[in-house]
Amino acid sequence: MTAIEIIQWGGPEVLQACRRTTPQPGPGEVLIKVAAAGVNRPDVMQRKGLYPPPPGASDIPGLEIAGEIVALGDGVGVPAVGSWVCALVTGGGYAEYCSAAAALCLPIPKGLGPVEAAAVPETFFTVWTNVFERGGLRAGESVLVHGGGSGIGTTAIQLARVFGATVFVTAGSAEKCRFCERLGARAINYREEDFVDRIQTLTEGKGVNLILDMIGGPYLQRNLSCLAVDGRLVVIAVQGGAKAEINLLPIFLNRLTLTGSTLRPRSVNEKAAIANALRQNVWPLLESGQVKPVVYANYPLVEASEAHSLMESGRHVGKIVLSVV
């Protein structure tokens, strides 16, 4: 099969097409003929040598796919051969075939094609578990999402809105701010305004109930200053750095919660619980059109390096996808 491998740590040019043996599904797994694969920030980190695959995972990048099931491993009855699914995987997505845990395969929502479906798993799993499960966002609350124009951001805006929350976002251009506002958020251009001051103004000094952060260290103290009493800060990436020195007083004076998580190393059973929650709570929204993945660009598989260049440029709004067929 054709796949994209990382020939050495480095820039987008180290992604090269190669020939690999088609994987075989293990117990509890299915083999998927990949139609499309999502491109995510962790793929970029893996390419740079900063995010190694967990033990047993493929060294081929790619954490989400959509395609047709062509073979079943031992113990798998559902989904059946011939089913079209999207799936969360621990690696191997940038290839013509990829094995996936059967429990992490979800039917492609009605009305979506494979390219849109491939933009769903990694982002929707991440947003659901961090915003609604770990972050505990409820109707009537407010949330600040950093990186509103990203795949995570555009997903978080839509889900938070449909579940009855007020959404604020930061974004780095007027175009991205306008796009986020069309999705239903109040947008703050962090290059032109101080988001702490703006949040205080927009919330009349009350702050927000929840913050979803991908920046990390440089934003930590500023995020704490934006939280309401009993507010929660969920950190899911550290694009600005992993370390910070903070004043702890706001945490215990305002009863704040600081937490975070990562998805890839979790067990299949843990991720299957998230998949079941998505099937019950989010799939009806996707099928009704109330929520929709935002796909900015679609590249052929062999142009994975161009897709990574686009991601690192920061020009995109929403998701980048590779088409395999």
Side-chain angles (χ1 to χ4, degrees), residues 29-105:
E29 294 182 338
V30 300
L31 181 65
I32 297 174
K33 187 178 189 300
V34 180
V39 177
N40 293 282
R41 188 70 57 176
D43 304 342
V44 173
M45 294 174 61
Q46 180 177 332
R47 191 200 74 221
K48 294 179 177 180
L50 302 175
Y51 193 44
S58 171
D59 65 306
I60 296 169
L63 301 176
E64 58 183 348
I65 57 175
E68 182 183 7
I69 294 177
V70 294
L72 307 179
D74 291 343
V76 177
V78 177
V81 169
S83 300
W84 279 79
V85 299
C86 55
L88 185 74
V89 296
T90 55
Y94 292 13
E96 290 183 300
Y97 293 89
C98 182
S99 58
L104 304 185
C105 294

Side-chain angles (χ1 to χ4, degrees), residues 68 86 170 217 227 266:
E68 182 183 7
C86 55
T170 60
L227 285 172
R266 294 192 187 188

Side-chain angles (χ1 to χ4, degrees), residues 88-303:
L88 185 74
V89 296
T90 55
Y94 292 13
E96 290 183 300
Y97 293 89
C98 182
S99 58
L104 304 185
C105 294
L106 289 162
I108 291 180
K110 296 174 184 177
L112 298 189
V115 169
E116 290 179 309
V120 169
E122 174 72 14
T123 302
F124 279 74
F125 272 70
T126 297
V127 170
W128 183 261
T129 187
N130 288 289
V131 172
F132 297 97
E133 294 183 343
R134 183 168 292 273
L137 185 66
R138 299 181 295 274
E141 291 193 322
S142 57
V143 57
L144 169 62
V145 179
H146 291 298
S150 66
I152 294 289
T154 54
T155 300
I157 292 169
Q158 294 180 76
L159 287 179
R161 286 281 295 168
V162 80
F163 283 107
T166 299
V167 187
F168 305 99
V169 302
T170 60
S173 72
E175 179 185 3
K176 289 183 178 182
C177 285
R178 286 192 295 270
F179 190 93
C180 293
E181 288 174 346
R182 287 196 295 271
L183 291 178
R186 295 289 299 272
I188 303 166
N189 187 333
Y190 66 83
R191 299 186 191 277
E192 298 179 354
E193 299 181 281
D194 182 278
F195 71 81
V196 178
D197 291 342
R198 189 64 179 143
I199 286 295
Q200 292 301 323
T201 298
L202 292 171
T203 63
E204 299 179 341
K206 297 176 182 177
V208 295
N209 302 109
L210 175 67
I211 297 175
L212 183 66
D213 179 55
M214 311 172 208
I215 305 302
Y219 273 18
L220 183 52
Q221 190 70 59
R222 299 173 72 193
N223 281 330
L224 296 178
S225 300
C226 291
L227 285 172
V229 173
D230 291 317
R232 293 89 66 192
L233 168 60
V234 183
V235 181
I236 59 170
V238 288
Q239 294 176 23
K243 295 182 179 181
E245 181 175 328
I246 64 169
N247 178 0
L248 294 172
L249 284 174
I251 293 179
F252 57 82
L253 289 176
N254 293 321
R255 303 188 299 273
L256 306 180
T257 298
L258 170 58
T259 186
S261 75
T262 186
L263 185 61
R264 193 179 190 183
R266 294 192 187 188
S267 69
V268 170
N269 287 340
E270 289 176 306
K271 288 184 275 194
I274 303 170
N276 290 334
L278 288 172
R279 186 192 299 265
Q280 178 178 348
N281 296 292
V282 176
W283 247 237
L285 302 174
L286 287 165
E287 295 194 334
S288 68
Q290 291 177 267
V291 174
K292 189 174 183 179
V294 175
V295 176
Y296 180 83
N298 178 20
Y299 289 86
L301 177 65
V302 294
E303 295 181 10

